[in-house]
Structure formats: C-alpha cells, structure tokens
Amino acid sequence: MKKYIFTLLALIPFLANAQNPARDYTNAVLWQQTSGEYRALCFQAYNFARLSLKEALWADTSKKPNCIIVDIDETVLDNSAFQGHEIKKGLSYNAADWTEWTSLARADTVPGALAFLKFAASKNIETFYVSNRNEKDYAATLKNLQTFGFPYANDAHLVVSKGTSDKEPRRQKIADTHNILMLCGDNLSDFSNVFYRENKSIIEQVDANQTLFGVKYIVLPNPMYGDWEKPLYQGEKSSDQDKAKQRLERLKSY
C-alpha cells in the first residue's frame, strides 16, 4: 500500500502537467524573462545589424529612400508577460486575452532594438513596423512604440494585418517606394515566403539562404511561439492536450 501511495505521489506533477499542457512553455517564457543569454543574443543580433547596415549603406546605389522592415512582437516589443499570464491560466493562447494585453500598451522593449533603430534613423534610414497584430490593436500598438520613443512610430510606418498573416504583399508595397536594406524578425516568415509559406523544407531553405543571416536578415530569439511549431502538429483543430502529446512524440532521442 505504501509503495502504491509513493508511486501515485511521484506521478502527481506529471498528471498535473498533462491537465495543463500550457506548462510545457514555462521554461521558454522564464528563459526569455530571466536569462542573461536571452539578452546577450538580442544585443548580438542588433550589434550585427548595426555593422551590416553600415556595409549596406556603403554599397547602396539606389535612388529610393532607404528603410528597414521590422516585425514588432519579440523583435522590438517583448510580450513574455502575456505568455506568462496565459500559462498561469492554464492556456497556451486566448484571443480575448491577447486583445486585453495589447490594449494596455505595456510590452517592454527587446534589448538592443531601440538603440539600433535610433542609430538607423540617424543615418536617414526609415523604419517600417510590419506586424500581424490587427487593426483593433493599432492605436495601442502605436502608443506602446511611441512611449519608448521608437523612431518613425507613426501612421505612415506602422503596417498591421488586414485579414491575412502573409506579409509579402506588405513588403512588396514598401519595396515599390523604398530601398529595403534589412529585415529584422523573430520568425522566418518575417523575411520571405520561401520559409514556411511555400511548403518547402525549412532546413533546406535556411541552408540555401545562410549568407543572408546576420547580413540582410536579422533573427531575434523567441522560444515561446512561432511558425516553427506548426509543422509539429497533425490536425488543424488539435486540442492543447493533443499538441502536448505530439510535441513529446516529435522529440529526438536515442
């Protein structure tokens, strides 16, 4: 009997986690919120961005005004507090909670982002903020950016989603009037549709474009969410429990 009770007690943490699949993300969120490594990687990304931007300016022959395109979430604004809120509620994501969070305009800056974009502005390089936040998030997002003094945080340079998560048409519209020197994002889809949207091998596409990373494509760390996770799951309407099971099954082991 004692052996049975001991075994049951030992299983309680695992059973609890099975009832709350969102806890799978606890370490990812804590790493972003507390680790020096996260901050170091962000600084490293934006330090490389500064060096690469200088080189791009030296080589520039375009007659169009120069610009940078940046994603917002986990690229210039840190939403880990929202992710922590969801985990404590036992959720992975809730749309109403996200709207509540963005309306607060309280997301902190990603380390290095503001200094880098101010440096770009000092070189007369515009910044376009191309985000998959939607129109109802627009006013609060602009307020959040302006609170920290992000350059070009205005109606002409904030481009949100209008019914599609595909950023390529928005990037092309900017390219019609501006010379895009660099793109910064935490998701490969922030750079090109060859990643994730064209049903190609992600690993092969990253390898094929390896010379662009750290040069024209600046990648910020985001362990919490992203397009990378979608290929893990079978079934469009999988429950959080199903997704947790599939994540475990997809782990490499020996």
Side-chain angles (χ1 to χ4, degrees), residues 2-49:
K2 288 183 179 180
K3 183 178 180 181
Y4 172 78
I5 292 174
F6 176 81
T7 303
L8 183 60
L9 289 173
L11 286 173
I12 285 176
F14 299 99
L15 293 173
N17 198 48
Q19 296 301 313
N20 182 7
R23 286 188 59 192
D24 282 6
Y25 300 97
T26 300
N27 276 4
V29 176
L30 284 172
W31 183 80
Q32 180 155 322
Q33 291 179 342
T34 67
S35 76
E37 287 82 358
Y38 167 74
R39 295 185 66 81
L41 285 170
C42 292
F43 286 132
Q44 178 175 270
Y46 281 120
N47 286 342
F48 264 106

Side-chain angles (χ1 to χ4, degrees), residues 225-243:
Y225 63 88
D227 283 344
W228 64 270
E229 198 172 356
K230 294 177 183 177
L232 300 179
Y233 307 129
Q234 300 296 320
E236 293 183 3
K237 296 184 179 180
S238 297
S239 66
D240 281 349
Q241 285 77 11
D242 288 337
K243 288 181 178 179

Side-chain angles (χ1 to χ4, degrees), residues 45-46 49 68-72 75-76 116-117 130 167 182-187 190-191 216-220:
Y46 281 120
I68 296 169
I69 293 178
V70 299
D71 173 52
I72 291 179
T75 300
V76 298
F116 168 68
L117 294 181
V130 179
K167 293 185 175 181
M182 181 176 290
L183 301 96
C184 305
D186 65 298
N187 194 321
D190 294 327
F191 309 124
K216 187 165 186 175
Y217 298 161
I218 304 298
V219 186
L220 280 299

Side-chain angles (χ1 to χ4, degrees), residues 83-94:
Q83 300 298 145
H85 177 270
E86 296 298 87
I87 290 172
K88 289 186 176 183
K89 287 182 65 175
L91 302 172
S92 56
Y93 174 81
N94 177 272

Side-chain angles (χ1 to χ4, degrees), residues 46 76 103 159 178 191 198 202 205 210 212 222 226:
Y46 281 120
V76 298
S103 70
V159 186
H178 288 72
F191 309 124
E198 297 181 359
I202 304 305
Q205 290 306 310
Q210 61 184 278
L212 295 177
N222 175 10

Side-chain angles (χ1 to χ4, degrees), residues 55-125:
E55 292 190 5
L57 281 173
W58 292 333
D60 176 41
T61 59
S62 174
K63 295 182 179 180
K64 295 179 182 178
N66 291 318
C67 78
I68 296 169
I69 293 178
V70 299
D71 173 52
I72 291 179
D73 298 312
E74 315 332 316
T75 300
V76 298
L77 292 181
D78 176 357
N79 298 284
S80 61
F82 164 75
Q83 300 298 145
H85 177 270
E86 296 298 87
I87 290 172
K88 289 186 176 183
K89 287 182 65 175
L91 302 172
S92 56
Y93 174 81
N94 177 272
D97 289 347
W98 174 251
T99 300
E100 178 185 29
W101 163 249
T102 57
S103 70
L104 296 174
R106 280 170 37 190
D108 201 353
T109 59
V110 168
L114 182 57
F116 168 68
L117 294 181
K118 284 184 174 181
F119 167 77
S122 74
K123 303 297 182 183
N124 297 315
I125 300 171

